[in-house]
Amino acid sequence: MLDQALSQKLRQIVGENYYRDDREALVAHSYDGTPMLQSLPDGVIYPDNTQQVAEIIKHLAEHRVPVVTRGSGTNLSGGTVPVHGGVVMVMHRMNRILDIDLQNLTATVQPGILTGDFITHIESLGLFYPPDPSSMRISTIGGNIAECSGGLRGLKYGTTKDYVIGLEAVLASGEIIRTGGKLMKDVAGYDLTKLLVGSEGTLAVITEATLKLVPPPKSKKTMIAMYKDLYGAARTVSRIIEAKMIPATLEFMDNPTIRVVDDYAKLGLKRDMDAILLIEQDGDPEAVERDIERIREICESEKADQIEVAKNQEHAEKLLTARRSAFTALARLRPTTILEDATVPRSQIAEMVLRINEIAQKYNVTIATFGHAGDGNLHPTATTDARDADEIHRVELAFEEIFEAAIELGGTITGEHGVGMVKAPYLEWKIGKTGIEIMRGIKQAFDPHNLLNPGKMFANESRKRVVLNRA
Amino acid sequence: MLDQALSQKLRQIVGENYYRDDREALVAHSYDGTPMLQSLPDGVIYPDNTQQVAEIIKHLAEHRVPVVTRGSGTNLSGGTVPVHGGVVMVMHRMNRILDIDLQNLTATVQPGILTGDFITHIESLGLFYPPDPSSMRISTIGGNIAECSGGLRGLKYGTTKDYVIGLEAVLASGEIIRTGGKLMKDVAGYDLTKLLVGSEGTLAVITEATLKLVPPPKSKKTMIAMYKDLYGAARTVSRIIEAKMIPATLEFMDNPTIRVVDDYAKLGLKRDMDAILLIEQDGDPEAVERDIERIREICESEKADQIEVAKNQEHAEKLLTARRSAFTALARLRPTTILEDATVPRSQIAEMVLRINEIAQKYNVTIATFGHAGDGNLHPTATTDARDADEIHRVELAFEEIFEAAIELGGTITGEHGVGMVKAPYLEWKIGKTGIEIMRGIKQAFDPHNLLNPGKMFANESRKRVVLNRA
């Protein structure tokens, strides 16, 4: 519990109803989308505007109370768990679209708007905001910015970072800064905008964002290809890119995922397939037709067992269902689902999937893999049971080895979920001791008392690297 | 002069011929592309590989000797002038292409390669690296990364930042770090890659870069439109974007520029025009045809006095000559040419050009404006004489007011040339005192003894803002 003078002050700032420290509020904000992590905050606050955020932060800083800023808490790396207690600041009330500028093709929004709602509005204006994290119906733009969320369209259109061109943020001191603007070019000093994107709430509280919009593609086409041979699927991915086509979507599911999805969604998928690719191209109709035709040829020459091109929107939706239901289908199998996002150069996808399977077998755990093949961002997903300490330990060892394999193949420990608590012990594997020191220095420059989302990104101790012994 | 033990050590590291402190070498590296700035270094060093760079930096750091890293020195903001002496490190020997990866569509290069040479090679492989700063025939990729160079294709394709996905760099301590990789998604900690891009050599020495390549457009078409009314040209720019077209190039020249260019290149331009737009679209042939046709309609409805669509490559080159020769033509007029790059949201271009003209008149100086209309990145260019102290003073006052106007219109003090020495006193206008403090904190985290390109970006004193008095 905060001391009473401080909680009194917080109530004055936001109004009686918008600061809560009742048990229900505390429990509801003690966890996020990450399994097996929970920690009670001391209070929960719901600011309505930037000025309130600044005042809240100022008072919390005076009392050295940590603050964890969050939207919907869909985080998968423990990024919004208040592990050091303090106040959870929920941004849902700050959910307005402040400006849509059709001449400059920008939108300025508050962080609490749901990404799906924002996209729906933007599309109703005939415009396009490409970042499409799978969580987008419930996650917020602010959360997407904090994590630099990716999505299915990342390969062709980039991730959240590529669309954030200006920010307003409250610093650890309570001061307000503005970075960037409605500008496609701005090199006035270090790029604080891109630095804050993906900083996981550890550097500042984002209170407003200016986003770049683009013209929407005129048409889209969807297809799937199924393979008995994993390498055939992997070669298809590489050959599409080598043929100088960048599909809008290029998704992958492995055999364990295919079987679970088919059980769940009854799509009549071939259960003996090693891999399915879901491919979409968008753009001008002629170009889309031509690309899809060439992609079909590549799939055929790589001996795809079955290829299906959607005849219409309804058919496309059916094909998309397979990929979209992967997580839900897997989550039904066992009490606990742990979704990871080890990422490799796209040329290493087949190798990585094979390694994941080897590792799962070695530790006798169930891991299904699906994900964004086009950008090498895989989601190895363990279905397990948090109550079985022994199995959970083996799952952890398996993921540790999966991270190590990703690094070894030129990849990274996280492609779009963030470091948070879960991957903090592994960050050094990717960026080295020196990289950690530099990042700690940046953190220090922004947040000298370590009050903004403490306990995230930086581990007390880095994990020792496993020595991989493969014959 | 460095002390003899140190210069002896530097000679040992790179070999006798690659450390120089003779007068000729010092003078040749005492200035860059910025007029009226010069300062002698103590030595000039030419490393051949990353290990040498690390050793050089380690020894310089021990002796607290500053180092200014540069490529060809085309900088326009005094960014590579060794204003605190020390050693200029020239990266031209590190000019190899280390890897072209066709499966991942990446190129890994050393910083000293000329951008134009790199692009020629990439294009010979049927691939595309879009950033095209006007200096590209003589500037280096390393310099482009240090400055986050833009170019004519920035509107549609983004700037250097959007194509750098991995870096190797030597820190102020002499330690080597690696950031990013051949990865389209990587959120392992703060984004050091994007932070180093545009950091003007003040945070680390870039020794290797992994660049994203993209499939090239299949066709391109070029046109120009001339206007008696500046606002007609500006409205054309806005209406093209509002019609959801993003041209590959959308360049602008004002009346003073048109007249000078016509004198120089004898293109038969109409000298009474207020503005010329140079427009290119690229992509699939059908889409290009359709866009160019729609753009022509917009130009007509905005009362363009003359519209010319290139019939073939030769014709296109002729149209492009007008814009390409702008700087050269202006540079012939008077002994000193000062090229600035104040940038505004594209909707404010007409307003900005009018303000520039007003300001030039007020201070009785000659300023011609051309630039990248599509992304609001204008190049007001003063033709003057460095020997005329009074006129130079008036030019400086005029630019000061131009920066202020850019900020007032939601813009920035620099779109693609960097802060360097020239714009350091104005940086606070864009990012505020708090922004400067944060940036100084980042600098401190990377370079605690202020040895990497000191005297850049941060001014001893910020300039007071002029109070603009307009009726």
Side-chain angles (χ1 to χ4, degrees), chain B residues 50 53-54 57 168-172 174-177 203-207 452:
Chain B
T50 303
V53 173
I57 297 285
E168 177 194 73
V170 174
L171 298 174
E175 287 168 291
I176 299 166
I177 57 165
L203 298 182
V205 177
I206 289 155
T207 48
L452 300 180

Side-chain angles (χ1 to χ4, degrees), chain A residues 196-418:
Chain A
L196 289 179
V197 178
S199 66
E200 307 190 9
T202 64
L203 298 182
V205 177
I206 289 156
T207 48
E208 192 184 299
T210 298
L211 306 170
K212 183 172 99 169
L213 307 175
V214 295
K218 293 190 176 59
S219 74
K220 185 155 89 172
K221 206 135 193 187
T222 306
M223 63 181 283
I224 59 170
M226 306 192 199
Y227 295 81
K228 277 212 182 95
D229 170 23
L230 178 63
Y231 277 101
R235 274 193 309 266
T236 299
V237 171
S238 288
R239 284 188 53 198
I240 290 171
I241 308 291
E242 282 183 272
K244 288 154 198 154
M245 293 179 283
I246 306 284
T249 303
L250 185 37
E251 295 287 309
F252 165 87
M253 293 194 296
D254 74 351
N255 174 273
T257 312
I258 293 167
R259 281 186 292 159
V260 171
V261 163
D262 196 54
D263 283 342
Y264 172 71
K266 317 275 182 241
L267 295 166
L269 300 175
K270 293 192 168 189
R271 302 165 67 97
D272 60 338
M273 291 293 129
D274 239 23
I276 288 184
L277 293 179
L278 170 76
I279 305 165
E280 291 192 293
Q281 183 57 303
D282 63 12
D284 281 305
E286 311 85 1
V288 169
E289 287 295 338
R290 189 185 50 221
D291 280 2
I292 288 289
E293 190 44 42
R294 285 170 65 204
I295 291 171
R296 178 215 282 273
E297 285 165 23
I298 292 173
C299 294
E300 274 166 6
S301 80
E302 290 298 347
K303 308 213 171 11
D305 196 75
Q306 193 176 315
I307 300 169
E308 206 173 330
V309 178
K311 287 176 191 66
N312 49 43
Q313 184 54 27
E314 202 183 341
H315 190 182
E317 288 298 326
K318 195 185 149 220
L319 300 184
L320 283 163
T321 303
R323 169 62 182 88
R324 281 196 188 136
S325 42
F327 180 71
T328 318
L330 286 163
R332 284 170 70 250
L333 287 188
R334 304 273 311 273
T336 309
T337 312
I338 306 181
L339 176 73
E340 270 305 339
D341 75 329
T343 298
V344 292
R346 74 169 74 89
S347 59
Q348 302 285 3
I349 287 168
E351 179 64 21
M352 186 66 194
V353 171
L354 289 178
R355 292 236 194 147
I356 291 169
N357 293 345
E358 259 176 59
I359 293 166
Q361 213 159 16
K362 171 174 167 189
Y363 290 102
N364 188 27
V365 293
T366 307
I367 298 181
T369 301
F370 60 94
H372 318 299
D375 50 29
N377 181 206
L378 294 173
H379 293 307
T381 302
T383 54
T384 179
D385 186 342
R387 293 160 303 186
D388 182 341
D390 177 67
E391 184 175 322
I392 288 292
H393 181 63
R394 284 183 283 116
V395 167
E396 283 171 353
L397 290 177
F399 274 122
E400 195 159 305
E401 223 169 286
I402 287 171
F403 299 148
E404 178 126 24
I407 298 285
E408 208 189 302
L409 296 172
T412 184
I413 56 170
T414 173
E416 57 182 10
H417 293 169

Side-chain angles (χ1 to χ4, degrees), chain B residues 273-339:
Chain B
M273 291 293 130
D274 240 22
I276 287 183
L277 293 179
L278 170 76
I279 305 165
E280 291 192 293
Q281 183 58 303
D282 62 13
D284 282 305
E286 312 84 1
V288 169
E289 287 295 337
R290 190 185 50 222
D291 280 2
I292 288 289
E293 190 43 43
R294 286 170 65 206
I295 291 170
R296 178 215 282 274
E297 285 165 23
I298 293 173
C299 294
E300 274 166 6
S301 79
E302 289 298 345
K303 309 212 170 13
D305 197 74
Q306 191 175 315
I307 300 169
E308 206 173 330
V309 179
K311 288 176 191 66
N312 49 42
Q313 185 55 25
E314 200 184 341
H315 190 182
E317 288 299 326
K318 195 186 148 218
L319 299 184
L320 282 163
T321 302
R323 168 64 182 85
R324 282 196 187 135
S325 42
F327 180 71
T328 318
L330 285 163
R332 285 170 70 250
L333 287 188
R334 305 273 311 273
T336 309
T337 312
I338 306 181
L339 177 72

Side-chain angles (χ1 to χ4, degrees), chain A residues 34-112:
Chain A
T34 323
M36 300 181 298
L37 288 177
Q38 190 165 22
S39 175
L40 282 181
D42 296 298
V44 182
I45 198 161
Y46 308 83
D48 178 55
N49 57 59
T50 303
Q51 216 44 55
Q52 286 185 2
V53 173
E55 279 188 61
I56 292 164
I57 297 284
K58 222 170 267 173
H59 282 91
L60 293 177
E62 265 169 32
H63 291 76
R64 301 285 189 265
V65 173
V67 62
V68 179
T69 310
R70 60 170 262 181
S72 306
T74 56
N75 193 285
L76 291 169
S77 58
T80 46
V81 177
V83 65
H84 287 209
V87 170
V88 170
M89 184 154 62
V90 184
M91 304 302 279
H92 275 149
R93 290 177 72 205
M94 292 177 63
N95 64 355
R96 289 183 286 277
I97 295 178
L98 301 172
D99 172 51
I100 303 271
D101 184 332
L102 296 177
Q103 290 198 331
N104 292 306
L105 289 192
T106 60
T108 301
V109 301
Q110 291 185 316

